[in-house]
């Protein structure tokens, strides 16, 4: 049995989902119009209209969003099936796209001017380590883990080859192949609660442990699985235990673009069992808002909601069982204090956890602090968050379009899932099958929130818009474009955006909010829409079956709240595997 061998889900041949761009503005010339998928690009209709749009709404109380004006206005589109890039209305090669976008990103003023908020807290330091630590054989009462040994394979299934424009390209993401590029050039900072433990034979080497064996074990296995999923990624630990001991929140990397820190994974969180948006979430949100680093956080550890996991901008991850009879933990709706009805559903996604590296790990455990036994595995919410971060590292190394765009990655992971009747063959021997119909017994959130890497790398049209407050939206605060689709097919569509953590913490509200509408482009008939008052979650999503005869959708994004912040908006449309 393999436990981490099927780590690459590759892009299979599929019909291209050609998209047409249809924002308000002038029509580009006939030469440029030959670029597939690009018809128009955005521009304000008149100077007068531009001067009167996007007026800041009245605030609940004085609050700063810390916006730096005059960022480089950019919008882009990427099709995973065709591997085609578009930037500001023009088709680009990958190399040309990266050359241009790297210049924009390296000069991004908000990132370069970011400063830490420096909230303090009164949380107690982590409990001290005690007793001995040793590797032992596991007993029968640990069967819980043995029943879930296939979770990891289930996430990373598929062939080992990619079809790009009809040509087979070997792009392996499987550690059994020496030439794989999983995680290449991607840097992950792993926020941990203690230094990693190490092992000598059946004994633990505890000299490196500063605070607690349990957190040291989590750090070790988080590193181990990140290296298993994305072996060429660089992992930098940030010890939250040290910050916690001094009454501060962890300091994330300064100037992450210059230091190429692409992904954060917060398996340690200062505050726990939280129901209200708090300082820890605000500091994390502000960092992501300014620096646009993709961050994952466990929604819950040991059944307690984490401060990092209620962040608005981070992708919060819940742990799922292999049989999915129950997704753990059940989602909840954190609130903003002093704001009636202000709530948002967390987590955004579930990822299978409870997974082993090898048969050796499967048969043994780590006994520490008296009779406590931890598994030689990833588990709980921190394990799910780790696997999600590894999946993202593979995605970024394969498709660099997604770098610096947590809003697009969130939209992608919200949409990249199989239909409920799809049968998955889990390992290479095709012995095990997993039928998503099991989810019909689930008590919370069915498969829509269980992204699979196989779907993250195919059948997606991804877009982002980054600019100043007056960019993109017309005087009615509506932005629209067209998508070419297949009648009768199922599509999952989502938008996600970033908001200021400083503003959220002071005003107890989002600095921006959006509504998603999907229409028949030929007739204008409404197919689906999200409510304009769908809480304070920073995403909207819909799943639709395209009506008979419809070949083109009109996507409308309406900005329903605008306090003057920047536009940092992402989108993904995923064609569901039939």
């Amino acid at each position: 049995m393999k436990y981490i061998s099927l780590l690459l889900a590759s892009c299979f041949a599929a019909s291209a989902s050609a998209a047409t761009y249809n924002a308000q503005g002038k029509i580009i010339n006939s030469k440029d119009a030959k670029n597939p998928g690009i018809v128009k690009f955005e521009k304000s209709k008149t100077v007068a209209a531009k001067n009167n749009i996007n007026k800041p709404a009245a605030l609940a109380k004085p609050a700063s969003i810390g916006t730096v004006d005059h960022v480089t206005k950019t919008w882009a589109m990427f099709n995973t099936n065709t591997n085609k890039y578009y930037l500001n209305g023009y088709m680009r090669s990958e190399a040309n796209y990266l050359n241009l976008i790297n210049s924009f990103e390296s000069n991004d003023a908000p990132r370069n001017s970011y400063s830490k908020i420096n909230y303090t807290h009164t949380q107690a330091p982590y409990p001290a380590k005690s007793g001995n630590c040793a590797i032992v054989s596991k007993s029968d009462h640990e069967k819980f883990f043995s029943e879930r040994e296939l979770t990891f394979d289930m996430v990373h299934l598929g062939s080992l080859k990619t079809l790009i424009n009809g040509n087979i390209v070997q792009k392996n993401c499987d550690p059994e192949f020496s030439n794989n590029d999983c995680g290449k050039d991607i840097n992950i900072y792993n926020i941990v609660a203690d230094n990693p433990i190490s092992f000598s034979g059946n004994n633990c080497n505890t000299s490196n442990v500063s605070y607690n064996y349990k957190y040291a074990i989590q750090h070790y296995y988080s590193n181990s699985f990140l290296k298993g999923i994305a072996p060429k990624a660089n992992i930098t630990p940030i010890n939250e235990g040290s910050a916690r001991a001094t009454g501060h929140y962890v300091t994330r990397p300064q100037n992450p673009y210059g230091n190429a820190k692409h992904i954060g994974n917060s398996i340690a969180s200062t505050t726990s069992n939280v129901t209200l948006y708090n300082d820890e979430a605000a500091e994390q949100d502000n960092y992501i808002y300014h620096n646009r680093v993709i961050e994952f956080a466990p929604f819950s550890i040991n059944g307690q909601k984490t401060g990092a996991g209620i962040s608005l901008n981070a992708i919060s991850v819940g742990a799922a069982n292999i049989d999915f009879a129950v997704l753990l933990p059940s989602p909840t709706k954190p609130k903003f204090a002093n704001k009636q009805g202000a709530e948002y559903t967390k987590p955004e996604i579930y990822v299978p956890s409870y997974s082993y590296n090898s048969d050796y790990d499967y048969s043994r455990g780590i006994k520490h602090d008296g009779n406590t036994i931890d598994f030689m595995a990833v588990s709980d919410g921190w394990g799910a968050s780790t696997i999600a971060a590894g999946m993202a590292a593979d995605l970024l190394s394969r498709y660099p379009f997604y770098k610096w765009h947590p809003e697009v990655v969130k939209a992608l992971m919200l949409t990249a899932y199989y239909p409920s009747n799809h049968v998955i063959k889990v390992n290479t021997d095709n012995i095990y099958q997993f039928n998503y119909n099991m989810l019909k017994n689930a008590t919370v959130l069915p498969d829509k929130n269980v992204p699979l890497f196989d779907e993250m790398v195919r059948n997606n049209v991804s877009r982002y818009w980054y600019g100043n407050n007056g960019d993109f939206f017309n005087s009615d605060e509506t932005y629209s474009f067209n998508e070419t689709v297949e009648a009768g097919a199922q599509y999952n569509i989502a938008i996600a955006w970033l908001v200021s953590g400083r503003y959220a913490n002071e005003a107890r509200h989002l600095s921006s909010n959006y509504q998603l509408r999907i229409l028949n482009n030929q007739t204008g008939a409404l197919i689906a829409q999200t409510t304009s008052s769908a809480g304070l979650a920073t995403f909207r999503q819909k799943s639709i079956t395209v009506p008979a005869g419809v070949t083109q959708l009109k996507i409308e994004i309406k900005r329903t709240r605008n306090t003057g912040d920047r536009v940092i908006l992402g989108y993904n449309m995923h064609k569901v595997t039939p």
Side-chain angles (χ1 to χ4, degrees):
M1 174 64 66
K2 294 193 233 178
Y3 294 95
I4 60 170
S5 60
L6 302 179
L7 297 176
L8 168 67
S10 296
C11 180
F12 295 105
S15 60
S17 180
T20 58
Y21 198 91
N22 184 26
Q24 294 72 25
K26 75 175 186 179
I27 301 175
I28 62 178
N29 62 49
S30 59
K31 178 181 177 181
D32 291 328
K34 293 178 182 179
N35 290 337
I38 305 296
V39 176
K40 297 181 180 181
F41 65 91
E42 78 301 319
K43 190 172 183 181
S44 298
K45 290 183 177 179
T46 64
V47 173
K50 184 175 182 180
N51 289 338
N52 285 294
I53 64 175
N54 303 328
K55 297 298 183 183
L59 304 183
K61 57 182 290 190
S64 169
I65 59 172
T67 296
V68 178
D69 258 339
H70 310 301
V71 301
T72 303
K73 175 185 175 183
T74 54
W75 61 266
M77 182 178 75
F78 175 65
N79 188 315
T80 56
N81 286 356
T82 62
N83 209 37
K84 290 181 178 178
Y85 291 76
Y86 298 91
L87 180 63
N88 294 334
Y90 298 94
M91 186 169 65
R92 306 285 184 179
S93 67
E94 182 176 289
N96 184 240
Y97 169 85
L98 292 176
N99 181 60
L100 290 169
I101 207 66
N102 284 343
S103 175
F104 297 161
E105 294 289 356
S106 62
N107 293 292
D108 184 27
R111 178 182 287 119
N112 295 336
S113 63
Y114 167 76
S115 60
K116 184 178 170 67
I117 299 178
N118 276 326
Y119 292 122
T120 59
H121 65 80
T122 58
Q123 304 297 314
Y126 289 112
K129 60 184 180 181
S130 64
N132 298 319
C133 175
I135 297 174
V136 297
S137 295
K138 294 193 295 192
S139 58
D140 290 341
H141 74 274
E142 287 128 20
K143 188 181 177 184
F144 176 78
F145 271 73
S146 67
E147 292 175 343
R148 287 147 181 85
E149 62 196 34
L150 299 177
T151 58
F152 199 71
D153 283 345
M154 193 213 69
V155 177
H156 295 83
L157 49 99
S159 76
L160 296 175
K161 294 181 180 178
T162 300
L163 269 172
I164 296 178
N165 297 331
N167 299 314
I168 294 179
V169 179
Q170 197 79 20
K171 278 196 171 184
N172 294 319
C173 270
D174 191 321
E176 292 188 351
F177 290 79
S178 60
N179 64 338
N180 82 84
D181 284 331
C182 290
K184 183 180 179 182
D185 299 325
I186 304 303
N187 293 273
I188 302 171
Y189 54 88
N190 210 22
I191 299 177
V192 297
D194 205 344
N195 300 316
I197 203 166
S198 59
F199 305 101
S200 177
N202 286 336
N203 295 314
C204 308
N205 182 351
T206 62
S207 60
N208 195 41
V209 179
S210 298
Y211 302 104
N212 185 274
Y213 294 139
K214 185 177 186 68
Y215 302 122
I217 292 167
Q218 289 178 1
H219 186 175
Y220 175 87
Y221 283 103
S222 179
N223 282 352
S224 176
F225 263 74
L226 284 173
K227 280 300 182 184
I229 302 170
K232 290 194 176 179
N234 298 311
I235 305 169
T236 302
I238 299 177
N239 197 326
E240 198 273 339
S242 299
R244 182 182 176 117
T246 61
H248 291 83
Y249 295 109
V250 64
T251 300
R252 290 169 169 81
Q254 191 72 17
N255 186 20
Y257 188 89
N259 294 310
K261 300 298 184 188
H262 303 99
I263 298 173
N265 178 38
S266 298
I267 69 169
S269 181
T270 302
T271 52
S272 61
N273 210 24
V274 289
T275 57
L276 296 177
Y277 187 81
N278 64 4
D279 290 350
E280 181 181 12
E283 191 165 273
Q284 183 176 7
D285 280 334
N286 218 50
Y287 180 84
I288 298 170
Y289 175 76
H290 282 84
N291 293 292
R292 291 183 291 119
V293 172
I294 302 160
E295 284 211 12
F296 295 89
F299 170 65
S300 172
I301 298 179
N302 297 326
Q304 294 192 341
K305 295 177 289 295
T306 70
I310 65 169
S311 161
L312 294 161
N313 293 332
I315 301 173
S316 60
V317 189
N321 293 351
I322 181 62
D323 58 9
F324 288 86
V326 178
L327 301 179
L328 302 171
S330 298
T332 59
K333 292 181 179 293
K335 292 186 177 183
F336 284 141
N338 305 319
K339 190 76 176 176
Q340 286 292 334
E343 57 185 21
Y344 50 104
T345 301
K346 285 285 186 172
E348 281 94 359
I349 62 172
Y350 285 90
V351 171
S353 188
Y354 310 108
S355 305
Y356 302 95
N357 275 326
S358 68
D359 289 324
Y360 176 83
D361 292 341
Y362 168 68
S363 63
R364 298 173 179 241
I366 304 170
K367 188 175 183 179
H368 63 91
D369 295 313
N371 292 319
T372 301
I373 295 180
D374 272 287
F375 300 94
M376 302 181 74
V378 292
S379 64
D380 205 5
W382 66 269
S385 176
T386 294
I387 292 176
M391 292 166 68
D394 290 351
L395 174 74
L396 268 59
S397 65
R398 181 165 173 176
Y399 294 140
F401 174 86
Y402 296 99
K403 288 182 179 179
W404 308 115
H405 287 285
E407 71 284 1
V408 187
V409 174
K410 181 181 287 189
L412 175 66
M413 297 187 96
L414 284 167
T415 55
Y417 60 85
Y418 279 134
S420 60
N421 61 353
H422 195 90
V423 175
I424 300 173
K425 295 180 179 179
V426 177
N427 74 350
T428 53
D429 299 322
N430 294 331
I431 296 172
Y432 297 92
Q433 291 188 344
F434 178 84
N435 192 324
Y436 262 59
N437 278 326
M438 294 178 182
L439 288 162
K440 291 181 178 178
N441 298 321
T443 57
V444 292
L445 291 183
D447 55 339
K448 293 181 181 181
N449 289 65
V450 183
L452 298 178
F453 191 75
D454 204 33
E455 298 300 287
M456 288 169 60
V457 296
R458 62 172 176 169
N459 294 342
N460 294 289
V461 176
S462 302
R463 303 172 185 259
Y464 67 77
W465 301 268
Y466 179 62
N468 303 290
N469 183 260
D471 294 333
F472 305 115
F473 287 88
N474 62 23
S475 57
D476 294 326
E477 295 274 36
T478 300
Y479 182 84
S480 63
F481 55 93
N482 297 341
E483 294 281 25
T484 298
V485 293
E486 178 184 337
Q490 181 182 338
Y491 289 84
N492 305 327
I493 300 173
I495 57 173
W497 61 96
L498 303 185
V499 296
S500 165
R502 185 189 298 269
Y503 180 91
N505 210 32
E506 293 178 1
R508 302 295 176 182
H509 211 296
L510 302 184
S511 51
S512 59
N513 215 338
Y514 297 87
Q515 179 187 20
L516 173 66
R517 288 167 50 87
I518 305 166
L519 303 95
N520 179 336
N521 188 54
Q522 287 92 334
T523 67
L526 180 67
I527 297 174
Q529 68 176 352
T530 60
T531 64
S532 58
S533 57
L536 299 182
T538 53
F539 66 90
R540 300 287 183 266
Q541 63 184 121
K542 279 292 179 182
S543 178
I544 66 166
T545 298
V546 179
V550 175
T551 59
Q552 199 169 70
L553 301 176
K554 181 179 182 181
I555 308 298
E556 286 188 353
I557 303 173
K558 183 175 181 62
R559 184 159 53 175
T560 59
R561 179 176 173 82
N562 171 19
T563 60
D565 64 342
R566 297 191 309 280
V567 175
I568 312 177
L569 178 64
Y571 162 92
N572 193 71
M573 181 180 76
H574 176 71
K575 182 182 179 183
V576 176
T577 303

